Amino acid sequence: MTLWWAIAAVCAGCYALKLAGLAAPRRVLDRPVVRRFAELVPVALLAALIAVQTFTEQGALGFDPARTAGLGAAVVALLLRAPFLVVLVAAAAVTALVRMFMG
C-alpha cells in the first residue's frame, strides 16, 4: 500500500510542476537563465540515464564490455550524423555481436 501512496505523490508532484510551468508568467520564461536551464536539463538527465544503464549492474558499479561497445558504436554513429534509427540499430548490432563472440 505504501508503494501506491508514493506513486500518487510522484504523480501529484509531476502534475504540480507541469502546472507551474504553464502558469509561469512569460517574462519569467523569457529570461536567459531560465531558457538555458530548460535547454540543458533534458540533456543532462539523458546523459545520466545512459551512464547508469551502461555502467551499473544490480545497483553497483560494473563494466560490461558489450554495453560499452554498443555505446561506443552509438557515439560514432552520432559523430557521423547518422539518423536516429541508424544509431539505435548500430548500437544494438554491436552489442549483440560482442555478446555473441564474448559469450
Side-chain angles (χ1 to χ4, degrees):
M1 191 67 183
T2 305
L3 178 63
W4 286 109
W5 284 110
I7 291 171
V10 169
C11 288
C14 288
Y15 182 76
L17 187 60
K18 182 73 172 178
L19 186 61
L22 293 173
R26 193 67 171 149
R27 62 180 168 18
V28 171
L29 298 176
D30 287 338
R31 291 183 182 165
V33 173
V34 174
R35 187 178 303 250
R36 185 76 172 146
F37 178 79
E39 290 172 356
L40 293 179
V41 166
V43 175
L45 290 175
L46 183 58
L49 177 64
I50 290 169
V52 167
Q53 292 297 314
T54 303
F55 300 114
T56 61
E57 290 180 22
Q58 299 175 351
L61 189 60
F63 179 75
D64 181 13
R67 284 189 278 183
T68 305
L71 178 62
V75 168
V76 168
L78 286 171
L79 290 174
L80 294 174
R81 303 216 183 263
F84 184 66
L85 188 57
V86 173
V87 173
L88 291 178
V89 170
V94 168
T95 302
L97 287 172
V98 171
R99 286 202 195 282
M100 185 173 73
F101 288 120
M102 294 188 75

